[in-house]
Amino acid sequence: MVRFGVSFRPRLPRPHGRGDASAGEADRPRRELTMIAAAACIFLVQLDFYALNLALPTMAAELGTTTTDLHWVVSGYILAQAAFLLPGGKLGDILGRRRMLVVGLLIFGAASLGAGLGSDPPIVIAFRAVQGMGSGIVFPLAFAVITEAYPGKRAKRAIGNAYGIGAVALALGPLLGGGVTEWLSWRSVLLVNVPLCVVAIVASVAWLPESRDPTVSRAVDLAGLVVVVLGILAITVAADRMNAWRPVVATALAVGGLVLLAAFVLRERAAESPLVRLDLFHDAKFVAVTLMGLVANIAFVVTIFATTIHLQQVRGYSPFVAGLAVLAASISGGIAGPFAGRLSQRIAVRRLIAAATLVGAVGLVVVAFGGEIWLYLIGLAVAGFGYRTGLTLTNLGTQAMVPAERAGEASGTTLSILSAGSGIAIATAGTLIEQGNLATGIMRVLLGAAAGSAVAALLLVRIP
């Protein structure tokens, strides 16, 4: 079959929801349970990220460091997640998506326990990186099992609904992180993941059907994985140490990271069983949608990171009150999932992402200039809705562009690019915020994210 000028293997028969209409109706309860179990996994991963952001200032004070230096608790997690999104999706295709989901959840829960009990920054950061590995396995496979379970265009609505259910975490995350940090301890924010992992594991075992791709090679390119991880890490460290090191040293490290990423591409072209089959990128539309999602996601995570610092260390709010403020972006971001899933069935995805990103940029400009708290909250709500809509549409769009048997691979590739870019962006934002006055640095970062996302979206939407 040829789609968008790229040759793909024919779709394999599907055991769930691919028969006649009566069979489809009979499978409906099973599909709904599948979607709930997958959404529980998405919920867990999203809850943890947004909750811990609110705990960063308190964590930094207790562990004897600064909030901007402690960004590795967030960016280290994201980078580890980015690294394991690639093999995570493929291992699910090879060994079974449900099986690997459970493995990822076990890693995530154990690392949450270790980070919650950690006594100094290196230990906490190390366990957070392991936690990121677990989430990197879980996240793409949660979307892949939904795509596998739902027929045709129903997959878009199902993924949108899963985002909506999982997006409850976007609302609870700031409240959990702020409230638990203020009333108990930042450690409790991490420890609460343990029982939630148990619930997600039970739901996955009980409700998720096993599925895999019998056509994919069973080998995993470990050498390629090491090269890409080192490349992303080098660029991130260079961005983080821009102020502390001599410019020539930081620049050299960043260039070295870019060389490693180029070597990764060459490796994947020659590898017998690559982590990423590069024919995915022969489709200009797939590339454009992925890059647009990267822009939206960078703007959103930078918004959460910067406003968390601003609300607590510039405006002087407690962690819980800051969590209530960030709730504006969380709630509107949660609404974005089902909204995007339904709207994408009628309007071209790239146009929707561009429009959503422009909406997010307008909200972010309002946030950057601050002012009265009510205006600040409106800006956060608009930014959250716009950027999260763009991110949801990216997952919907890229999943629709590939055959179902490559769902895990495509999801892992797209989310890996989004996560790697976001980890680098947070390190860069932390460095820029540290330059000069804190409030001025935060405004500079937020305005840069707004302007950059708007311009990039307008350029990418024009790709043929």
Side-chain angles (χ1 to χ4, degrees), residues 78-141:
I78 293 177
L79 292 174
Q81 182 189 66
F84 276 78
L85 283 166
L86 292 173
K90 185 169 184 179
L91 286 172
D93 290 343
I94 295 171
L95 301 175
R97 290 161 185 155
R98 181 181 65 185
R99 179 180 301 169
M100 288 309 302
L101 261 177
V102 172
V103 170
L105 289 168
L106 287 170
I107 294 172
F108 188 90
S112 297
L113 180 63
L117 299 177
S119 57
D120 56 62
I123 292 176
V124 176
I125 290 169
F127 274 113
R128 280 286 289 172
V130 176
Q131 202 181 349
M133 296 176 190
S135 72
I137 295 171
V138 170
F139 212 59
L141 294 178

Side-chain angles (χ1 to χ4, degrees), residues 294-296 298-303 306 357 360-369 387 425 428-429 432-433 439-457:
L294 173 61
V295 168
I298 284 175
F300 186 73
V301 297
V302 167
T303 299
T357 302
V362 171
L364 193 50
V365 169
V366 175
V367 174
F369 284 108
Y387 289 133
T428 305
L432 294 175
I433 288 172
T440 302
I442 291 172
M443 176 184 286
R444 184 191 307 121
V445 165
L446 293 177
L447 287 176
S453 63
V455 171

Side-chain angles (χ1 to χ4, degrees), residues 230-400:
L230 291 177
I232 295 171
L233 182 61
I235 294 172
T236 308
V237 172
D240 177 56
R241 308 310 295 171
M242 195 183 305
N243 292 337
W245 292 350
R246 295 174 58 188
V248 65
V249 176
T251 301
L253 185 60
V255 171
L258 292 174
V259 170
L260 286 172
L261 293 183
F264 171 71
V265 173
L266 296 176
R267 166 73 188 180
E268 295 307 281
R269 293 180 64 181
E272 180 180 350
S273 180
L275 286 173
V276 180
R277 286 185 275 181
L278 297 180
D279 61 348
L280 282 174
F281 300 99
H282 293 171
D283 182 358
K285 293 181 179 179
F286 180 91
V287 173
V289 169
T290 299
L291 291 177
M292 293 177 82
L294 173 61
V295 168
N297 197 48
I298 284 175
F300 186 73
V301 297
V302 167
T303 299
I304 298 298
F305 178 71
T307 53
T308 295
I309 297 173
H310 185 261
L311 287 165
Q312 294 183 62
Q313 296 185 235
V314 176
R315 289 189 174 240
Y317 292 119
S318 69
F320 179 67
V321 174
L324 287 174
V326 175
L327 190 61
S330 301
I331 292 176
S332 62
I335 295 171
F339 171 81
R342 286 160 176 75
L343 200 57
S344 66
Q345 296 177 349
R346 298 189 294 272
I347 303 174
V349 167
R350 276 197 293 168
R351 292 182 180 179
L352 281 175
I353 297 175
T357 302
L358 291 175
V359 169
V362 171
L364 193 50
V365 169
V366 175
V367 174
F369 284 108
E372 296 294 330
I373 189 63
W374 64 268
L375 190 61
Y376 192 95
L377 296 179
I378 291 174
L380 274 177
V382 173
F385 180 80
Y387 289 133
R388 288 296 301 184
T389 298
L391 177 60
T392 303
L393 288 166
T394 299
N395 285 287
L396 296 177
T398 54
Q399 288 282 286

Side-chain angles (χ1 to χ4, degrees), residues 401-463:
M401 291 177 185
V402 299
E405 62 270 17
R406 297 187 70 177
E409 176 192 2
S411 178
T413 300
T414 301
L415 292 170
S416 181
I417 292 171
L418 267 57
S419 291
S422 299
I424 295 170
I426 287 177
T428 305
T431 298
L432 294 175
I433 288 172
E434 287 178 335
Q435 295 177 353
N437 179 269
L438 186 62
T440 302
I442 291 172
M443 176 184 286
R444 184 191 307 121
V445 165
L446 293 177
L447 287 176
S453 63
V455 171
L458 291 175
L459 291 175
L460 291 169
V461 78
R462 295 178 177 273
I463 293 178

Side-chain angles (χ1 to χ4, degrees), residues 118-172:
S119 57
D120 56 62
I123 292 176
V124 176
I125 290 169
F127 274 113
R128 280 286 289 172
V130 176
Q131 202 181 349
M133 296 176 190
S135 72
I137 295 171
V138 170
F139 212 59
L141 294 178
F143 290 106
V145 295
I146 294 172
T147 302
E148 181 70 20
Y150 282 80
K153 293 183 178 180
R154 292 186 188 178
K156 285 186 176 182
R157 177 171 292 187
I159 292 174
N161 288 338
Y163 261 110
I165 294 173
V168 174
L170 296 176
L172 293 180

